C-alpha cells in the first residue's frame, strides 16, 4: 500500500460548494428543493420533498448547481451524512447542505461517494465536529482539511465499480418495487374506488378483464352510506371487519431498553423501504414484553402519532410502541385489501387526528371509518393478484438487504486496503 496517500480533501482537489442560505417559496409542482431529510443511506429520497418553480430553481442553482457524481453533505442535524447527486435529476440544494466535487485529477469522481462513507470519513467528522446546544455542525472552512487515505486511481475505479454495481442493483430493486406497488394501487383504484368494471358492464362496454373475472362484477349500482356502490356490495365500519387496537409501551421505558426484542417505533416507519418492516433501531428487554403489544410476521400496523397514517406489514417478531395501531382477526376483507384502504384513508385520517402539534389518531374514530366490502369472490381475486405483487416486492426487498450488507461489509475493507482490487 505504499502508493496509497494520506491527503486532505483540498490536496485531493475536492472542492466544497456552499448552498444559498435562503429558502425559496414552495410550489405545487416543479423542481425538487432537497433538504437534510432527503439524504438517506447514500442516496436521495424525494419522499415529501419541497418543490420550487423553474425561476427559483435557476436562482438557487447559480451558486451551487449539482452535477453527476457530486456528493451532497449535511453540515447540521446529522453532520457527515452524504448522498450522491443522481445523473438524471435537476434539483436545488437546501440550507445547511454543501456539494463536494472532485475535479478528477486525484480522485475519480464516481469514487468520491464511497470515500465519504468509510471509517476514515467518520473519524474526521468526530475530529472537526462542533458540538452545539441544539445541533452539532460542521464548518465549511474545516471540511477541506479532512485527511483521508486515497488509493491509486486504478484501485479507485475498481472500488467504485464493485460498490456501485451492488448499489445500482439495490436502486433497481427499489424502482421495481415502486412500479409493482403502483400497479397494485392502480388495480385497487380501478375496482374499488372508480368501479370501472361495474361501470363498463352498466354501459354495455368491454371491461377489459378475462370473462371469468368480469362475470364476478355486478352491472349496476345502489345507494349506500358512502354514496353509490356496486349492487350487492356492503358498507361496514372498520371495527366490524377486524380487531383494532393500540400498541403499548412499558413504563418507565428506559428501564426496558437495550434488550433483544425488536421495538417498533414511529421512526422505523420512515426508515422502512416500501410496505415491509424488517428491522428496528431499538430493542426491548424480555421483561418489558408483558407490558407491550406483540406482533408477528404478516401483521399489519398503522402509525398513529407524529407521522400518521403509514401502514406497514411487519416482518419480524417484536413489540409495537403506543404510537402504532394494529389490525388483527380480519373478517370479510384481506390484509392486502385493508392496506390499500388505509392508504386511501391516509389524508382523511391525518385530518381527523387529535393534536395541533403532534397528531394522534383516535382508535375509536379509526374504527368508525366506513369500508366497502365487495363479494368474497372479488375479494379473493384481488387478494390473489395483490399477494403475487407483494411477494415480489418482499423478495426484492430481501435481496436488497443482502446486497446492502455485502456492500457495507466490503466498504471499510476496500477503503483500508484490506481487500485489494485492480481497475
Amino acid at each position: 500500500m505504499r502508493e496509497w496517500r494520506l491527503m486532505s480533501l483540498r490536496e485531493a482537489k475536492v472542492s466544497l460548494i456552499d448552498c444559498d442560505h435562503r429558502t425559496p417559496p414552495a410550489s405545487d409542482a416543479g423542481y425538487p428543493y432537497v433538504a437534510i431529510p432527503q439524504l438517506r443511506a447514500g442516496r436521495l429520497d424525494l419522499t415529501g420533498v419541497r418543490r420550487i418553480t423553474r425561476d427559483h430553481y435557476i436562482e438557487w442553482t447559480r451558486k451551487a448547481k449539482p452535477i453527476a457524481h457530486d456528493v451532497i453533505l449535511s453540515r447540521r442535524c446529522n453532520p457527515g451524512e452524504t448522498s450522491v447527486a443522481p445523473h438524471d435529476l435537476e434539483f436545488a440544494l437546501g440550507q445547511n447542505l454543501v456539494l463536494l466535487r472532485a475535479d478528477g485529477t486525484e480522485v475519480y469522481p464516481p469514487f468520491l461517494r464511497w470515500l465519504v462513507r468509510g471509517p476514515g470519513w467518520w473519524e474526521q467528522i468526530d475530529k472537526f465536529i462542533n458540538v452545539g446546544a441544539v445541533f452539532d455542525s460542521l464548518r465549511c472552512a474545516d471540511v477541506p482539511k479532512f485527511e483521508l487515505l486515497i488509493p491509486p486511481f486504478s484501485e479507485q475505479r475498481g472500488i467504485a465499480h464493485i460498490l456501485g454495481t451492488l448499489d445500482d442493483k439495490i436502486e433497481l430493486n427499489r424502482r421495481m418495487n415502486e412500479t409493482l406497488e403502483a400497479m397494485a394501487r392502480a388495480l385497487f383504484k380501478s375496482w374499488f374506488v372508480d368501479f370501472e368494471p361495474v361501470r363498463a358492464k352498466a354501459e354495455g362496454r368491454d371491461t377489459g378483464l378475462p370473462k371469468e373475472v368480469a362475470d364476478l362484477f355486478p352491472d349496476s349500482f345502489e345507494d349506500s352510506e358512502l354514496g353509490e356502490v356496486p349492487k350487492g356490495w356492503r358498507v361496514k365500519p372498520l371495527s366490524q371487519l377486524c380487531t383494532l387496537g393500540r400498541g403499548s409501551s412499558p413504563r418507565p421505558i428506559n428501564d426496558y431498553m437495550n434488550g433483544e426484542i425488536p421495538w417498533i417505533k414511529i421512526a422505523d416507519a420512515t426508515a422502512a423501504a416500501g410496505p415491509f418492516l424488517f428491522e428496528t433501531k431499538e430493542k426491548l428487554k424480555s421483561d418489558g414484553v408483558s407490558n407491550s403489544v406483540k406482533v408477528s410476521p404478516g401483521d399489519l400496523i398503522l402509525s398513529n402519532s407524529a407521522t400518521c397514517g403509514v401502514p406497514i406489514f411487519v416482518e419480524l417478531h417484536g413489540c409495537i410502541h403506543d404510537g402504532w395501531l394494529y389490525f388483527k382477526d380480519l373478517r370479510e376483507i384481506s390484509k392486502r385489501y385493508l392496506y390499500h384502504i388505509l392508504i386511501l384513508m391516509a389524508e382523511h385520517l391525518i385530518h381527523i387526528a387529535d393534536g395541533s402539534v403532534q397528531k394522534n389518531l383516535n382508535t375509536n374514530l379509526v374504527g368508525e371509518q366506513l369500508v366497502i366490502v365487495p363479494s368474497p369472490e372479488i375479494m379473493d381475486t384481488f387478494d390473489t393478484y395483490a399477494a403475487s405483487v407483494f411477494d415480489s416486492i418482499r423478495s426484492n426487498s430481501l435481496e436488497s438487504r443482502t446486497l446492502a450488507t455485502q456492500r457495507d461489509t466490503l466498504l471499510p475493507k476496500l477503503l483500508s486496503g484490506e481487500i485489494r482490487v485492480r481497475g
Side-chain angles (χ1 to χ4, degrees), residues 102-347:
D103 73 356
T105 57
E106 299 289 345
V107 175
Y108 179 50
F111 172 71
L112 181 60
R113 62 182 291 201
W114 305 111
L115 184 64
V116 299
R117 292 179 64 181
W121 171 257
W122 292 107
E123 289 172 5
Q124 295 299 296
I125 296 296
D126 289 341
K127 177 180 178 180
F128 286 99
I129 196 74
N130 293 291
V131 178
V134 180
F135 295 109
D136 295 344
S137 63
L138 293 169
R139 294 193 311 157
C140 287
D142 287 335
V143 176
K145 302 175 185 175
F146 284 19
E147 292 186 326
L148 299 167
L149 197 60
I150 310 294
F153 224 78
S154 60
E155 292 199 52
Q156 293 181 38
R157 289 179 180 274
I159 292 170
H161 174 71
I162 291 170
L163 298 177
T165 299
L166 292 170
D167 212 51
D168 287 346
K169 176 56 177 169
I170 293 170
E171 175 64 10
L172 177 61
N173 284 348
R174 185 191 67 79
R175 293 187 180 187
M176 288 174 59
N177 282 353
E178 282 187 347
T179 300
L180 288 167
E181 194 166 357
M183 290 168 56
R185 291 189 190 188
L187 182 67
F188 178 86
K189 183 174 184 293
S190 172
W191 286 14
F192 307 115
V193 179
D194 299 331
F195 311 125
E196 289 177 358
V198 181
R199 295 191 189 284
K201 292 179 73 171
E203 297 168 6
R205 295 184 286 107
D206 183 7
T207 64
L209 299 171
K211 184 178 185 304
E212 63 272 19
V213 176
D215 287 347
L216 300 176
F217 289 88
D219 58 6
S220 60
F221 293 88
E222 61 187 14
D223 291 332
S224 77
E225 298 95 319
L226 289 177
E228 198 175 57
V229 299
K231 188 174 182 178
W233 291 17
R234 292 157 296 157
V235 173
K236 292 187 175 183
L238 184 57
S239 60
Q240 292 184 16
L241 301 171
C242 65
T243 300
L244 171 63
R246 183 185 295 271
S248 176
S249 302
R251 298 285 192 269
I253 186 60
N254 288 337
D255 290 352
Y256 299 97
M257 298 308 299
N258 303 315
E260 300 296 327
I261 311 300
W263 176 230
I264 305 174
K265 301 180 70 175
I266 296 299
D268 296 311
T270 55
F276 296 103
L277 180 69
F278 294 98
E279 63 182 347
T280 63
K281 294 180 179 179
E282 299 182 20
K283 289 183 168 58
L284 280 181
K285 294 177 181 177
S286 57
D287 54 354
V289 173
S290 60
N291 295 318
S292 186
V293 173
K294 299 178 185 178
V295 289
S296 302
D299 284 350
L300 179 62
I301 59 177
L302 179 76
S303 60
N304 77 324
S305 67
T307 306
C308 285
V310 178
I312 284 183
F313 289 102
V314 175
E315 287 292 318
L316 48 79
H317 292 279
C319 297
I320 55 173
H321 182 269
D322 49 16
W324 291 94
L325 300 181
Y326 64 84
F327 306 86
K328 296 187 178 183
D329 306 319
L330 270 64
R331 303 173 287 277
E332 302 181 69
I333 60 174
S334 71
K335 289 179 182 178
R336 284 168 283 268
Y337 182 84
L338 176 56
Y339 173 84
H340 287 90
I341 287 288
L342 294 173
I343 290 176
L344 189 67
M345 286 183 179
E347 186 174 342

